[in-house]
Amino acid sequence: MSEAEALYDMLKKVQEPKGYYFNKDKERIFELLEALIVNKKRYGYMSCPCRLAAGDRELDKDIICPCAYRAPDVEDYGSCYCNLYVSKAWNEEKVPHAYVPERRPAERTPY
């Protein structure tokens, strides 16, 4: 089993009971999981692969996956910013697949 497959299995068991499902697009999911693994090796934590990390755990704590924005994103849009975590209704196409705007304040983004 690959590292990404092991991560998939572990996260699925933990997150689904909380109402967070992986996007049904497995190719997209495994790209994101691989990127999370790269970030864990790079920074020591799984920072969101769809955002720029500072490389400082304290500065990046809001974007450690699952990020602080996941719950409101899934509540409002049926999907998190990356489309990694979605609602059951999103996967069943019962809610529109709308663009999820960035909630992270600009001042928290390193440049």
Side-chain angles (χ1 to χ4, degrees), residues 46-48 51-53 60-65 67 69 104:
M46 291 192 305
S47 67
C48 174
R51 295 178 168 105
L52 185 60
D60 291 337
K61 67 183 176 183
D62 63 322
I63 61 166
I64 295 174
C65 189
C67 75
Y69 313 104
R104 190 176 201 212

Side-chain angles (χ1 to χ4, degrees), residues 16-97:
E16 280 191 2
K18 297 177 184 178
Y20 299 104
Y21 299 85
F22 283 129
N23 183 331
K24 65 182 179 182
D25 180 348
K26 288 264 182 125
E27 185 177 330
R28 171 80 175 143
I29 293 316
F30 278 92
E31 288 172 359
L32 291 168
L33 292 175
E34 291 286 351
L36 284 170
I37 292 165
V38 166
N39 283 347
K40 183 169 174 78
K41 290 174 182 171
R42 182 181 292 152
Y43 304 121
Y45 50 90
M46 291 192 305
S47 67
C48 174
C50 301
R51 295 178 168 105
L52 185 60
D56 178 309
R57 187 179 193 93
E58 184 59 30
L59 293 174
D60 291 337
K61 67 183 176 183
D62 63 322
I63 61 166
I64 295 174
C65 189
C67 75
Y69 313 104
R70 177 187 70 172
D73 284 352
V74 173
E75 178 71 27
D76 293 347
Y77 300 98
S79 170
C80 72
Y81 183 67
C82 293
N83 300 132
L84 177 65
Y85 289 108
V86 301
S87 67
K88 193 172 189 177
W90 194 93
N91 264 344
E92 294 171 350
E93 301 193 27
K94 293 180 179 174
V95 297
H97 292 191

